[in-house]
Amino acid sequence: MFYYILRRVLYTIPIAIGVSLVVFALVHLAPGDPLSAVMGEVDQKMLAEMRASFGYDKPLPVQYIIWLGSALTGDMGYSLRTGAPVFGTLIDAAANTMIIGTAAALLGFIIGATFGMLAGYNHGAWLDKVVSSATIAGVSVPHYWLAILLVIVFSVQLGWMPAMGAGSAASILSWEAWKHMILPVIALAAIPCAIVARTARACVMEILSMEFVEALRARGLSERRILLHVARNALPTVLAVMGLQFAHLLGGSILVETVFTWPGTGYLLNLAIFDRDIPVLQGTILLLALFFVSINLVVDILQTWADPRISRG
Amino acid sequence: MADKALVTVENLTVKFVSHEATVHAVSGVSFTLARGEVLGILGESGSGKSVTLRALMRLLPPNKTRLSGRIDIAGRDVMALDPMALTRLRGSTVAMIFQEPMTALDPVFTIGEQIVEAIVQHDGVGRAEARRRALELLELVQIPSARRRLDAYPHQLSGGLRQRAMIAIALSCRPALLLADEPTTALDATVQIQILLLLRSLQQKLGMAMIFVTHDLGVAVEVSHQIAVMYAGRFVERGTVGDVVHRPRHPYTEGLMGSTVHEVPQGTRLTPIPGSPPNLAALPPGCSFAPRCSYAVPACGKALPELRVIATEGRFPHETRCIQPEAVGTRSAIPA
């Protein structure tokens, strides 16, 4: 098991390097000069000096090596817009995204897995019908639309919740901080919740039709015990889907964060794109890509633990 | 036969109902079984033998199945048991082993966990004690390096070891009745014999009654005291192994003997039974075998023959559902 994990961790290194290469190339493949967008009309001599000071006059491979080398030491340059160090900005944004991403994952996964399993177990009953319809709605609704709807109802009309920002509470354990999180977390949790519920339901139904469930009944096990067996068999599949959804939550919350102006990586990315703030853009995309890579790593390791049939050799 | 029967089944009928059709899987099966006795049920696939076994434990899905008749096991009226009482009966009084051990064991629990779980559920002992007994059980079913195998997952064992593990689980709470649903069919020929010998010796050692369902005549002969031949959901012949195998008095039984490769000299021509089993959703009014039977006379198609006793000299009476049992065997070959 230890060697499996070690090997799996080592595999992620070339993946991470590849990811960084793609991130760098993508940003630089876009036409136009990063500086001209920020500076506007200035004289050519000054622009050339600026380019040299940011290193944009060097050949791309050299720029990549320099960028990667300093990124590894935590120096990702300075924002072209604000002049603040990219690394610090990213850490703050990532922490904010982590907070609502994790909260949305907990909320969505617990509700989704529980109701999905119960629906599959009581296939055809009213609970199953309710869950099935709810999950179809859940996967069909665009989450930014849901976010706007939540703002209109709970912030504008009812005035219960703030519509924007993360608040200024010192601790995330205060009601002030929670109040700002509730709406974005609900908007984020809807899709993962529905997807996890659908997966769990399908998985449980498939497992219930297997012969070993009849064999478990023949052993005189209680229904609760049988449900435990079924859940344990559904775990590897559900876990894989949860991992993917969690990665999406951390990386793909641009729209929801933008609607709520939640100061996370998604919002930061949105700002950086419109400002053509290349250092911030590169740093953010790299960080999100690394989120994906590491979550996949964790899910792979969890799966070998959850499913003994996956070889650890 | 003097002692009180362990199992009494009277007129057991199983119907599968759906929107399209009602399938008569089992129609009026009756038998009794004493402690320590082995009943072999012989029949081809779809004859209702596996359904009969499942009905004894009420394992069939209740929403699609209509059960009727009387099932009495160890003094309990199985038909009347509530779900709680049913789980107490299953596994402790009646246990079952399945045809395909790979699909009948939970793939993500170790063998040890599955045995321990059954013991804890039925006997209420602690996990350490249950684990000690699980080890004894694996040794009882002759699994080599039992201690190591306790922590093995089903996919890590060979087919034969898996079937031994399943037998160990079934025996974990010392059942009085073991139901065996083709336990050797999915195994290699050499392993089949080992499992068969193991089951026979365990049955004798523990004094269990056993109902052994198979389509393999040779297997049925090895383990059974009495054999019932099943066709289209009914017993068509029943008696001691000697009677049924050597003096078959039903054309279907004779046909089975003619189409098997057991105990026949080399070069003997195998005779298949012509036609195919009847549609259980639309059974013919008379004898269900009549359309395939070379002895059939017009009377066969009129009314369903009763299962009647034709000889009583053996340990079990010899019964047949044929109206002209004396004719069976008079024709050397069934015309194809």
Side-chain angles (χ1 to χ4, degrees):
Chain A
M1 192 68 186
F2 172 74
Y3 284 102
Y4 172 81
I5 294 175
L6 187 70
R7 221 178 50 209
R8 197 58 195 73
V9 170
L10 290 178
Y11 278 151
T12 57
I13 293 174
I15 297 174
I17 291 175
V19 162
S20 71
L21 203 59
V22 171
V23 167
F24 181 82
L26 270 180
V27 171
H28 283 270
L29 279 175
D33 186 286
L35 281 177
S36 49
V38 187
M39 309 290 287
E41 289 298 314
V42 286
D43 78 282
Q44 289 301 309
K45 192 165 162 278
M46 197 177 152
L47 201 59
E49 268 172 30
M50 290 288 289
R51 274 208 193 98
S53 77
F54 279 97
Y56 290 146
D57 58 338
K58 298 194 171 67
L60 281 183
V62 178
Q63 283 191 40
Y64 170 70
I65 300 287
I66 294 172
W67 170 71
L68 188 65
S70 39
L72 284 177
T73 59
D75 172 15
M76 302 175 106
Y78 295 88
S79 164
L80 295 181
R81 196 173 54 92
T82 63
V86 172
F87 190 75
T89 315
L90 262 185
I91 294 293
D92 291 344
N96 284 332
T97 294
M98 276 287 191
I99 290 169
I100 53 167
T102 312
L106 282 177
L107 180 74
F109 294 172
I110 292 173
I111 294 177
T114 310
F115 281 94
M117 273 194 49
L118 288 176
Y121 194 72
N122 300 301
H123 175 53
W126 65 267
L127 178 73
D128 182 30
K129 287 174 184 139
V130 170
V131 170
S132 300
S133 334
T135 55
I136 288 174
V139 294
S140 315
V141 164
H143 56 351
Y144 58 87
W145 179 83
L146 180 64
I148 294 170
L149 195 75
L150 288 172
V151 169
I152 293 173
V153 174
F154 292 99
S155 305
V156 179
Q157 294 189 343
L158 295 172
W160 291 353
M161 308 281 168
M164 293 168 68
S168 52
S171 154
I172 65 155
L173 293 175
S174 66
W175 169 240
E176 173 65 16
W178 280 63
K179 213 163 57 176
H180 284 85
M181 280 168 56
I182 289 174
L183 293 185
V185 165
I186 291 175
L188 281 175
I191 291 178
C193 177
I195 290 179
V196 165
R198 284 165 70 88
T199 311
R201 175 177 175 271
C203 216
V204 163
M205 277 168 59
E206 187 197 326
I207 291 162
L208 279 177
S209 70
M210 290 184 177
E211 193 183 22
F212 79 81
V213 177
E214 186 186 36
L216 292 174
R217 292 223 163 85
R219 283 177 215 164
L221 298 183
S222 60
E223 280 303 304
R224 231 180 58 213
R225 199 70 206 171
I226 290 170
L227 191 60
L228 176 86
H229 276 264
V230 171
R232 183 67 184 75
N233 273 274
L235 185 64
T237 315
V238 174
L239 210 55
V241 172
M242 283 180 175
L244 261 174
Q245 288 305 312
F246 188 49
H248 278 297
L249 279 177
L250 294 188
S253 49
I254 300 173
L255 295 173
V256 172
E257 285 188 5
T258 303
V259 169
F260 290 102
T261 53
W262 180 266
T265 47
Y267 183 57
L268 188 65
L269 195 64
N270 183 37
L271 288 182
I273 289 170
F274 284 110
D275 293 340
R276 281 192 72 76
D277 194 344
I278 299 284
V280 174
L281 197 57
Q282 276 178 336
T284 317
I285 299 177
L286 182 68
L287 184 75
L288 295 184
L290 292 181
F291 271 162
F292 260 90
V293 172
S294 34
I295 287 169
N296 274 329
L297 171 71
V298 172
V299 168
D300 267 5
I301 292 171
L302 280 179
Q303 275 210 292
T304 55
W305 160 79
D307 190 344
R309 285 164 297 183
I310 296 176
S311 160
R312 291 165 181 154
Chain B
M1 294 289 278
D3 52 342
K4 196 177 175 311
L6 176 70
V7 185
T8 309
V9 174
E10 270 171 30
N11 205 20
L12 175 68
T13 300
V14 184
K15 290 178 201 159
F16 294 125
V17 288
S18 66
H19 296 300
E20 298 88 44
T22 299
V23 174
H24 300 260
V26 178
S27 313
V29 161
S30 304
F31 63 89
T32 59
L33 191 67
R35 286 182 190 275
E37 259 177 24
V38 181
L39 167 69
I41 300 182
L42 192 63
E44 49 195 332
S45 20
S47 60
K49 50 196 195 319
S50 295
V51 175
T52 306
L53 277 197
R54 281 163 176 75
L56 289 183
M57 255 185 176
R58 284 193 28 213
L59 266 184
L60 301 160
N63 50 347
K64 293 177 227 158
T65 321
R66 300 283 171 272
L67 276 181
S68 63
R70 197 166 80 84
I71 302 171
D72 193 298
I73 298 177
R76 259 163 295 179
D77 179 1
V78 176
M79 290 294 199
L81 293 180
D82 60 61
M84 280 296 289
L86 210 50
T87 58
R88 279 197 297 273
L89 177 87
R90 292 171 181 165
S92 62
T93 309
V94 193
M96 183 153 173
I97 52 181
F98 292 79
Q99 176 171 351
E100 179 43 85
M102 187 65 224
T103 59
L105 291 167
D106 185 334
V108 302
F109 281 73
T110 64
I111 301 300
E113 284 164 353
Q114 300 193 45
I115 304 180
V116 166
E117 173 183 51
I119 296 176
V120 169
Q121 167 106 26
H122 286 295
D123 292 3
V125 299
R127 299 195 76 82
E129 164 67 10
R131 197 176 152 85
R132 194 188 56 71
R133 265 174 53 189
L135 186 63
E136 281 176 12
L137 281 160
L138 289 195
E139 280 159 0
L140 181 72
V141 297
Q142 297 160 22
I143 290 183
S145 5
R147 193 173 291 278
R148 193 159 55 80
R149 258 60 186 255
L150 217 48
D151 296 318
Y153 290 94
H155 71 277
Q156 293 168 323
L157 303 180
S158 66
L161 286 187
R162 252 180 246 145
Q163 195 56 289
R164 284 171 196 268
M166 184 139 77
I167 295 171
I169 296 172
L171 298 182
S172 60
C173 298
R174 296 170 303 269
L177 172 65
L178 183 64
L179 306 177
D181 184 14
E182 307 226 23
T184 61
T185 308
L187 303 172
D188 291 345
T190 49
V191 182
Q192 275 189 13
I193 295 166
Q194 293 171 6
I195 295 292
L196 203 59
L197 294 177
L198 173 72
L199 270 176
R200 192 170 66 178
S201 77
L202 287 173
Q203 180 268 325
Q204 286 163 358
K205 191 150 98 189
L206 306 175
M208 288 180 297
M210 182 155 80
I211 302 179
F212 197 102
V213 156
T214 178
H215 66 269
D216 187 331
L217 180 69
V219 168
V221 166
E222 259 339 290
V223 291
S224 311
H225 299 126
Q226 59 172 327
I227 289 186
V229 179
M230 204 160 179
Y231 185 77
R234 297 188 180 101
F235 283 176
V236 292
E237 180 164 7
R238 178 169 56 186
T240 60
V241 173
D243 280 343
V244 172
V245 174
H246 299 297
R247 289 173 294 280
R249 285 294 172 263
H250 191 284
Y252 177 65
T253 316
E254 192 196 26
L256 274 185
M257 305 299 152
S259 54
T260 180
V261 288
H262 282 284
E263 291 178 16
V264 286
Q266 201 176 8
T268 310
R269 188 173 282 274
L270 292 175
T271 337
I273 305 175
S276 54
N279 178 3
L280 293 174
L283 282 175
C287 170
S288 4
F289 188 63
R292 304 170 74 185
C293 181
S294 62
Y295 302 99
V297 293
C300 294
K302 297 243 164 54
L304 177 69
E306 291 296 308
L307 188 65
R308 62 196 171 94
V309 178
I310 50 169
T312 50
E313 61 263 33
R315 210 172 131 204
F316 303 99
H318 192 176
E319 298 166 314
T320 180
R321 219 182 248 282
C322 186
I323 54 171
Q324 40 180 357
E326 58 290 337
V328 177
T330 53
R331 286 176 209 184
S332 54
I334 301 168

